[in-house]
Every structure is written in structure tokens, then in C-alpha cells.
């Protein structure tokens, strides 16, 4: 793990009561709004992006899914898969696991550095099914119940344990699954309103999530097709869920949950600053910037940026040459909504 407690001068911040998901759900309800959550995204839900989302009002951030089997057995896996700081809160660590012991041990390992763990029961990829994780668990509610119970027993009642699921073709099967798993008292359930075989281009099943919310005894989070706060409010109104989770919407606009209709230029400035503190592999950093700038600049100019920049330094130099790119500490850093071109720069159609 890349954890700063290895530095003798660093004091790990305690896990605070106000960071517990149960308390966060209560606070959001008192404020008359849903809890807002940044979804686990393979490769992309890393520390700089989590910090960026929080800067714009996201309540809870997830890590990418981590394979519990490797995590508990390999220090190299822990070093590469999990990085955090004392300010990386509230944080939920998501694991892909196929048995009670691996999930419980992984939860215990990250317990001092996070506010909860989540069991991935929704990854649709074939390799995950073959490993007995992700959507494979949607056919084994008793196993999931036992996994949640085991993690709870090992980590204590005040450490959050949740599950993220997809739906079945027969929604009554999903209802049965949820009721069985809820007997282990998960802290909340996130429902991605699509079946395993459905693509993200197909509309999310709002009625399915509404059904799960109506029978559930724990908070329910809506996941799928959240691209704006208008979407979030509409889904909450239609389903009465307790929280909303966004993935692709936040990748394009990390300020989504602040109510921003389009991606502010300040998000790019902030991301580059956060990435200098906690560097990502260059290709991942470039992907974040390209996603955020998709609607800021013409397609041809964006393609030029992607093709011509081969390192983070080249990317910053390229942006600096075309636009007014402020650094942390400079006036108006991170607050501008509109992109500002330098006078000598011209857009390419």
C-alpha cells in the first residue's frame, strides 16, 4: 500500500464518525438531497480523480475494484492497487472476491485507511465470471450474505460493508437476492439498473431500481445514466432512492454534483495540480484530461493534443501554449468556468 503512515512524521487521521456512510445518508436526507457518490471505475477512480470529485461536492468516492485474492496474499499487489492519504475521506474500497475469507481479510487490511468496503457483484466481464466474482455472485445470494456477515464480524459494526449489484431478467429473482443478502445487514446496496448482458448505451431500468428500493430495508443507491444533477434529481423523484452514483458522467464532468451543466476549465487546472502530487501513469492522466476537454475544444484540436503529447510535461506545455493555464496559488486558479485561449492561439475545426 502506498500509505503515508510509513513516514514517521505523518499522522494518519482517525476514521471519523461523520464519514460513516450511515451518517452521511442521514445528513443528506436532513438536507433534502441524495447522497452523491463517485463510482468505482477500473483504472480511473484513483487518488487524484477522487480528490478532484470531492473538490466539487461529491460526498463519497470509491476506489477501482481491487482483486481481494491477490490483495491479501501479495504486498506488491497492495502497493500497486491501493494508495491513499489522510485527507482521502470518505472513502470506500471496492473488492472483487469469491469467498468469505478473502473478502473479510481484505476488509480488515484497509479498515484503518477507509470508511468502508464494497463487494462487487456487478462486473459483467467474462474474466470476472470465470474467477467467480462480479456478476457471478448474482446467482449466489447465500454466499454474498455470508461474505458480508464475515466482513462485518471481522471489522465490527461501525465499519461499513456494502454491495453493488446488477439486476436479473426476472426482477423477482433480484428481489429474492436482495432479501437474502439483507439478512446479513449490509450498510447499503447500490443498484446498477442493467442486466449483465446489457450495454451502457441501453437505457437504465428505472422501474427495477424503484422496485428494489420499495422492498429494501437498507439505503439504496441509484447507478446508471447519471450525467447531470437534473438526472440525479429526476431519478430520486421517480424511485425514492437514498443516493446517486455516477461514473461516465463524472469522467466527463467532475463538477457534475456541484450542479455545473458543463465541465469548468478549472477542473483541468485542478486535476493537473492533484496529479503532480499523486502522479498517475501518463496515459491515464491524458485520458482524464481528454475526457474533460471533449466539449471544450474542437475534435481535431483534441486529437492533436492526444497524438502529439507523449508525457505529462509535454501535455502541460501544450495546454500552456494554447490556453491560460493557472497553477495552484495563482489568482483564479481552479475557478474559471470557460476555457481561455492565448491571443496567438486559434482553434482548429
Amino acid at each position: 500500500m502506498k500509505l503515508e503512515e510509513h513516514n514517521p512524521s505523518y499522522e494518519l487521521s482517525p476514521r471519523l464518525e461523520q464519514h460513516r456512510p450511515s451518517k452521511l445518508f442521514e445528513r443528506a436526507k436532513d438536507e433534502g438531497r441524495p447522497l452523491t457518490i463517485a463510482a468505482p471505475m477500473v483504472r480511473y477512480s484513483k487518488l487524484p480523480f477522487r480528490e478532484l470529485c470531492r473538490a466539487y461536492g461529491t460526498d463519497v468516492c470509491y476506489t477501482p475494484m481491487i482483486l481481494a485474492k491477490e490483495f491479501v496474499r501479495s504486498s506488491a499487489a497492495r502497493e500497486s492497487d491501493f494508495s491513499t492519504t489522510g485527507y482521502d475521506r470518505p472513502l470506500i474500497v471496492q473488492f472483487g472476491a469469491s469467498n468469505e475469507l478473502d473478502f473479510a481479510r481484505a476488509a480488515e487490511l484497509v479498515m484503518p485507511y477507509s470508511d468502508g468496503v464494497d463487494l462487487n457483484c456487478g462486473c459483467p466481464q467474462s474474466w470476472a465470471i470465470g474467477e467467480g466474482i462480479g456478476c457471478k455472485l448474482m446467482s449466489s445470494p447465500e454466499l454474498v450474505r455470508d461474505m458480508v456477515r464475515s466482513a462485518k464480524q471481522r471489522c465490527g459494526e461501525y465499519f461499513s460493508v456494502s454491495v453493488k449489484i446488477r439486476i436479473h431478467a426476472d426482477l423477482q429473482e433480484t428481489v429474492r437476492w436482495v432479501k437474502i443478502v439483507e439478512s446479513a445487514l449490509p450498510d447499503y446496496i447500490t443498484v446498477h439498473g442493467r442486466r449483465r448482458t446489457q450495454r451502457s448505451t441501453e437505457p437504465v431500468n428505472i422501474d427495477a431500481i424503484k422496485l428494489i428500493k420499495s422492498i429494501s430495508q437498507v439505503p439504496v443507491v441509484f447507478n446508471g445514466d447519471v450525467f447531470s444533477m437534473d438526472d440525479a434529481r429526476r431519478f430520486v423523484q421517480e424511485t425514492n432512492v437514498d443516493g446517486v452514483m455516477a461514473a461516465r458522467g463524472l469522467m466527463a464532468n467532475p463538477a457534475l454534483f456541484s450542479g455545473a451543466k458543463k465541465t469548468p476549465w478549472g477542473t483541468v487546472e485542478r486535476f493537473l495540480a492533484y496529479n503532480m502530487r499523486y502522479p498517475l501513469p501518463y496515459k491515464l492522466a491524458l485520458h482524464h484530461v481528454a475526457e474533460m476537454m471533449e466539449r471544450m475544444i474542437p475534435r481535431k484540436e483534441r486529437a492533436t493534443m492526444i497524438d502529439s503529447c507523449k508525457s505529462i510535461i509535454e501535455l502541460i506545455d501544450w495546454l500552456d501554449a494554447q490556453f491560460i493555464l493557472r497553477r495552484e496559488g495563482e489568482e483564479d486558479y481552479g475557478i474559471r468556468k470557460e476555457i481561455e485561449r492565448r491571443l496567438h492561439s486559434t482553434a482548429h475545426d
Side-chain angles (χ1 to χ4, degrees):
M1 298 180 192
K2 297 176 182 176
L3 299 172
E4 294 186 29
E5 81 279 10
H6 293 164
N7 183 339
S9 66
Y10 176 81
E11 292 185 8
L12 184 70
S13 64
R15 191 169 59 248
L16 300 177
E17 176 78 5
Q18 61 262 36
H19 291 162
R20 284 176 55 192
S22 60
K23 296 297 182 183
L24 294 171
F25 279 113
E26 290 175 6
R27 187 180 70 186
K29 184 177 181 180
D30 289 344
E31 294 173 356
R33 63 176 183 85
L35 192 70
T36 57
I37 304 174
M41 290 179 280
V42 176
R43 295 184 297 276
Y44 298 116
S45 301
K46 299 284 190 175
L47 185 54
F49 184 68
R50 297 197 297 264
E51 187 162 341
L52 181 64
C53 290
R54 288 195 188 95
Y56 290 93
T58 299
D59 292 313
V60 179
C61 292
Y62 273 56
T63 68
M65 182 184 72
I66 298 170
L67 298 178
K69 181 178 179 180
E70 283 72 19
F71 192 80
V72 300
R73 290 167 175 79
S74 167
S75 60
R78 294 192 289 274
E79 180 74 18
S80 65
D81 290 345
F82 184 54
S83 59
T84 188
T85 72
Y87 303 101
D88 189 22
R89 299 287 177 80
L91 177 66
I92 303 297
V93 182
Q94 189 186 66
F95 286 107
S98 61
N99 63 75
E100 296 175 51
L101 183 59
D102 283 347
F103 184 53
R105 289 179 65 193
E108 188 175 35
L109 281 170
V110 300
M111 184 172 64
Y113 318 111
S114 65
D115 302 286
V117 293
D118 184 84
L119 179 62
N120 185 322
C121 302
C123 180
Q125 297 185 33
S126 297
W127 70 265
I129 305 301
E131 292 287 330
I133 66 175
C135 274
K136 180 66 174 179
L137 295 174
M138 292 306 297
S139 61
S140 304
E142 292 83 5
L143 173 59
V144 173
R145 174 199 62 202
D146 294 344
M147 292 168 74
V148 170
R149 183 174 293 147
S150 182
K152 280 284 189 183
Q153 290 172 346
R154 187 171 287 239
C155 297
E157 62 177 312
Y158 295 110
F159 187 65
S160 178
V161 180
S162 58
V163 296
K164 185 173 184 292
I165 72 172
R166 285 186 179 241
I167 59 175
H168 301 89
D170 179 357
L171 292 179
Q172 289 307 310
E173 188 176 352
T174 313
V175 168
R176 174 182 172 274
W177 192 99
V178 168
K179 288 182 175 180
I180 291 172
V181 172
E182 278 192 337
S183 66
L185 303 179
D187 287 77
Y188 61 97
I189 295 175
T190 300
V191 184
H192 184 162
R194 293 185 177 92
R195 302 185 305 277
R196 180 203 165 193
T197 55
Q198 287 185 288
R199 296 180 178 274
S200 59
T201 52
E202 298 182 59
V204 68
N205 189 331
I206 298 173
D207 290 335
I209 300 178
K210 181 179 180 179
L211 173 63
I212 299 307
K213 171 57 185 174
S214 72
I215 61 92
S216 183
Q217 302 301 309
V218 300
V220 172
V221 175
F222 187 110
N223 178 218
D225 292 351
V226 178
F227 295 103
S228 68
M229 276 306 295
D230 288 340
D231 290 336
R233 295 187 190 99
R234 175 169 60 87
F235 292 146
V236 170
Q237 185 175 21
E238 293 185 25
T239 63
N240 201 35
V241 292
D242 307 278
V244 289
M245 175 183 283
R248 291 174 295 148
L250 281 172
M251 279 291 292
N253 180 12
L256 185 160
F257 287 134
S258 72
K261 301 288 186 181
K262 60 181 182 177
T263 311
W265 172 240
T267 61
V268 176
E269 294 178 334
R270 287 179 181 270
F271 174 77
L272 292 170
Y274 300 156
N275 188 64
M276 294 304 289
R277 291 184 209 158
Y278 322 115
L280 294 173
Y282 171 64
K283 287 186 178 180
L284 299 188
L286 175 63
H287 184 82
H288 277 293
V289 172
E291 285 286 303
M292 287 186 277
M293 294 186 67
E294 183 175 12
R295 297 186 180 181
M296 289 187 191
I297 59 178
R299 182 182 301 177
K300 186 175 180 181
E301 187 176 22
R302 179 171 171 267
T304 298
M305 177 186 73
I306 294 170
D307 294 339
S308 64
C309 299
K310 305 303 180 184
S311 70
I312 193 67
I313 299 302
E314 289 185 11
L315 176 62
I316 292 172
D317 286 346
W318 187 90
L319 291 169
D320 225 359
Q322 312 300 319
F323 315 109
I324 298 176
L325 182 69
R326 295 171 179 82
R327 271 62 169 181
E328 197 167 14
E330 294 182 354
E331 186 177 357
D332 289 343
Y333 155 79
I335 66 172
R336 292 282 182 172
K337 294 181 179 180
E338 301 295 333
I339 194 168
E340 299 171 89
R341 289 189 176 274
R342 295 198 181 276
L343 293 179
H344 65 269
S345 174
T346 57
H348 302 280
D349 295 325

